[in-house]
Amino acid sequence: MSISISKLRAVCAAIALLFAVAHPAAAQLSFKPTAEAVQEDQLLKALKEGDKISGRISIPDPMASSLIQPAGREWRDFQRSKLPVIGAVAIIGMFALLAVFLMIRGRIRVDHGFAGIKILRFASFERFTHWLTASCFIILALSGLNISFGRVLILPLFGPEAFSTLTAWGKIAHNYLAFPFMLGLVMMFLIWIKDNIPSKLDLEWIKQGGGILANGKHPPARRFNAGQKGIFWIVIIGGALMSLSGWYLLFPYIPANVTELQFWTVIHAVIAMLFVGVMLAHIYIGSVGMEGAFDAMGTGEVDLNWAKEHHSLWVEEEQAKGRAPDTGSSRPMPAE
Amino acid sequence: MARVKFLCDADRCIECNACVTACKNEHEVPWGINRRRVVTINDGKPGERSVSMACMHCTDAPCAAVCPVSCFYTTADAVVLHSKDLCIGCGYCFYACPFGAPQYPKVGNFGSRGKMDKCTYCAGGPEADSTPAEYAKYGANRLAEGKLPICAEMCSTKSLLAGDGAIIAEIYKERVMKRGYGSGMWGWKTAYSDSPTG
Ligand code: HEM
Ligand code: SF4
Ligand code: SF4
């Protein structure tokens, strides 16, 4: 043995001394593992609106690192308490309004009766674009409303299995018809934007209430009157917002987190309700509400007297271009 | 009937992920789906805490409230379960869930997420108890066999507690009294408005 006993003793004494010196220091530190521990209460209190408590996670799914997101509760309340109210006001409210309007004003007739002469209002491509967008819209609206309210309105009628199958198909329809709808929207924008730029004439039209409130009053209008321009811009802007918000729902991995997804569903759902309400009015005036209006999108040809009453300046333009029968006067012809 | 709950005593959790592994194994949960996970708050800083989290089986559950096809139901023990036959994979329950519990088998664009999967509190689904059909969709039904969820049973530090909400809350409070600290009953305020029985 090369290490002497005395050397060993010296080392031991040194270690003992170290302990003797170190120990009071350790006692002073009195390390408490909990002193700085995170507290759920404090974290919850520090949360900002829509925020969440998150941390590090060892599984490769970044969304899983969110631990608690109390905002889920608020989104639940939106879906189950607020959205039904918004939907009821916008949709049932609009039905009620239109019913009252029909009762008071009745169907808007062609004041001078039909002339029996037709004038082309919408070419086949325009009608195709309109009906492409419209048919997609109707199915999107029905399948979308089914997502929002089906479980309250339709589930009790169909039972869980049939309703679930219906909703699954509705969801597929909603997801895929979104694309032809967006295409139709772009086409509409391109072919009709030139006739939908607001002008001074529109102010006059609005001042006279579009002439729809009283018989025999018809403010002048070009191809589209202020009301129709309004519908155009509501469709374009509303449709764009539906498409943007719908896009995020369609591809839920684009938004970074759940809070953003909640935000886009709220936008999508609220605008959907308002949009459907406005479109109901549009459908009403284009069918039941006004005599002769449906032909414009049906056959594409409208009666000359209808055109002169509602779009006097447009008829003059068409006549000047030789695209409409020249009756010599811009005044509607007496009925045959 | 008891009102069962989960409680993770974060001051005991050592982030070993045994609960996660046990769950995956017990129910043969597919790759990519995690019914339970462990999240570490303030990782690497003094006072970091790990919390094991799964579906909390909320009172008045947000997922159930928003599901467009209303496919959730609550058992007599207050376990929140759902029917995969009815689920249309829309993702709404995931948006509403405060705990990120709902999981989907597919990374779903075009709403092709597949049927939602989540922690069942080891209580299976709407199929007859402990049948192969139930096992294939929802995993084992330990509750039907009188056993508690495997994650809590496996927990080596007894951090994760499962059972009657009133009892596990009592156990936790006793622990906090004895040792003099506790970082909180994680998720209880959000899931049950903090009430042990609610
Ligand atoms: C303009 C016509 C549309 C209407 C009226 C409409 C209406 C709705 C409504 C009411 C909901 C349910 C919202 C809720 O309850 O939270 C919904 C959901 C949804 N919408 Fe639309 N939507 C339209 C267009 C679109 C478009 C253009 C897209 C895609 C780009 C889209 C994608 C979605 C998606 C992904 C959902 C979630 C549910 C699901 O997966 O089917 N929607 N929509
Ligand atoms: S934790 Fe999520 S999935 Fe579980 S009951 Fe609550 S809301 Fe539903
Ligand atoms: S994903 Fe399934 S369970 Fe979740 S809300 Fe949609 S239909 Fe309901």
Side-chain angles (χ1 to χ4, degrees), chain A residues 23-43:
Chain A
H23 187 254
Q28 253 169 21
L29 268 177
S30 82
F31 179 67
K32 278 214 192 82
T34 55
E36 294 167 79
V38 287
Q39 294 279 331
E40 193 209 11
D41 266 356
Q42 288 167 6
L43 293 181

Side-chain angles (χ1 to χ4, degrees), chain A:
Chain A
M1 282 273 208
S2 57
I3 302 168
S4 69
I5 299 286
S6 66
K7 236 185 199 163
L8 201 66
R9 213 180 263 157
V11 170
C12 285
I15 292 173
L17 195 71
L18 205 68
F19 262 94
V21 174
H23 187 254
Q28 253 169 21
L29 268 177
S30 82
F31 179 67
K32 278 214 192 82
T34 55
E36 294 167 79
V38 287
Q39 294 279 331
E40 193 209 11
D41 266 356
Q42 288 167 6
L43 293 181
L44 279 179
K45 268 186 209 121
L47 276 189
K48 285 188 218 77
E49 183 100 27
D51 237 354
K52 51 193 179 293
I53 300 177
S54 49
R56 184 193 54 78
I57 185 112
S58 48
I59 50 178
D61 173 6
M63 278 212 189
S65 64
S66 154
L67 184 65
I68 304 175
Q69 60 121 359
R73 287 245 174 215
E74 284 137 46
W75 188 73
R76 186 266 305 266
D77 293 342
F78 165 78
Q79 284 286 333
R80 287 295 141 234
S81 326
K82 297 200 183 83
L83 189 57
V85 176
I86 298 171
V89 170
I91 297 171
I92 301 174
M94 184 54 86
F95 268 116
L97 217 64
L98 292 173
V100 170
F101 186 73
L102 182 62
M103 273 185 329
I104 296 173
R105 178 65 173 87
R107 194 165 194 221
I108 299 172
R109 302 268 169 203
V110 178
D111 289 335
H112 298 80
F114 288 118
I117 303 170
K118 297 278 183 184
I119 166 172
L120 183 69
R121 179 147 169 80
F122 291 115
S124 55
F125 183 70
E126 290 177 302
R127 277 176 286 144
F128 168 75
T129 303
H130 176 269
W131 288 115
L132 170 75
T133 319
S135 52
C136 289
F137 180 87
I138 289 168
I139 299 173
L140 284 168
L142 291 176
S143 55
L145 290 174
N146 181 51
I147 292 274
S148 311
F149 309 128
R151 63 179 262 172
V152 181
L153 301 176
I154 302 175
L155 176 76
L157 301 177
F158 282 33
E161 279 80 22
F163 174 69
S164 179
T165 310
L166 173 83
T167 310
W169 281 107
K171 179 165 115 62
I172 292 171
H174 199 95
N175 291 171
Y176 285 93
L177 287 181
F179 291 88
F181 173 80
M182 288 188 278
L183 177 71
L185 207 63
V186 171
M187 283 161 46
M188 248 180 201
F189 179 75
L190 294 177
I191 60 179
W192 285 331
I193 173 82
K194 64 177 191 311
D195 298 314
N196 279 293
I197 310 291
S199 73
K200 271 209 195 98
L201 213 58
D202 299 327
L203 285 177
E204 186 55 30
W205 191 92
I206 293 165
K207 238 183 250 161
Q208 298 194 28
I212 54 169
L213 298 174
N215 273 317
K217 261 183 73 186
H218 294 292
R222 292 208 148 76
R223 187 163 192 216
F224 294 121
N225 62 37
Q228 291 166 317
K229 286 182 185 176
I231 291 285
F232 174 83
W233 288 109
I234 287 172
V235 169
I236 294 299
I237 295 167
L241 287 172
M242 292 307 287
S243 305
L244 176 70
S245 54
W247 194 268
Y248 283 117
L249 302 182
L250 218 45
F251 304 102
Y253 294 87
I254 305 175
N257 56 52
V258 185
T259 323
E260 269 177 47
L261 278 165
Q262 289 166 352
F263 171 77
W264 289 117
T265 52
V266 170
I267 297 288
H268 196 77
V270 171
I271 295 180
M273 302 307 152
L274 302 177
F275 206 171
V276 170
V278 173
M279 283 303 112
L280 284 175
H282 172 68
I283 294 168
Y284 168 83
I285 204 73
S287 57
V288 184
M290 184 186 281
E291 190 179 26
F294 188 81
D295 292 340
M297 275 303 164
T299 61
E301 292 185 328
V302 290
D303 191 88
L304 194 59
N305 277 358
W306 179 92
K308 281 179 176 173
E309 285 180 15
H310 298 291
H311 302 278
S312 50
L313 300 174
W314 172 70
V315 175
E316 282 172 22
E317 283 165 19
E318 291 294 292
Q319 285 172 335
K321 287 183 204 153
R323 283 196 294 217
D326 199 340
T327 50
S329 145
S330 69
R331 308 261 314 273
M333 304 201 313
E336 301 152 73

Side-chain angles (χ1 to χ4, degrees), chain A residues 73, chain B residues 53-64 72 79-81 93-94 96-102 116 118-119 191:
Chain A
R73 287 245 174 215
Chain B
M53 186 60 81
C55 171
M56 291 291 275
H57 302 277
C58 304
T59 306
D60 198 3
C63 54
F72 289 85
V79 176
V80 178
L81 298 177
C93 49
F94 180 72
C97 174
F99 305 103
M116 188 273 275
K118 72 168 190 70
C119 157

Side-chain angles (χ1 to χ4, degrees), chain B residues 63 66-72 82-83 86-94 102 104 113-116:
Chain B
C63 54
V66 300
C67 175
V69 293
S70 200
C71 75
F72 289 85
H82 74 294
S83 160
L86 299 180
C87 169
I88 60 167
C90 68
Y92 274 30
C93 49
F94 180 72
Y104 300 90
R113 295 177 182 86
K115 307 284 185 185
M116 188 273 275

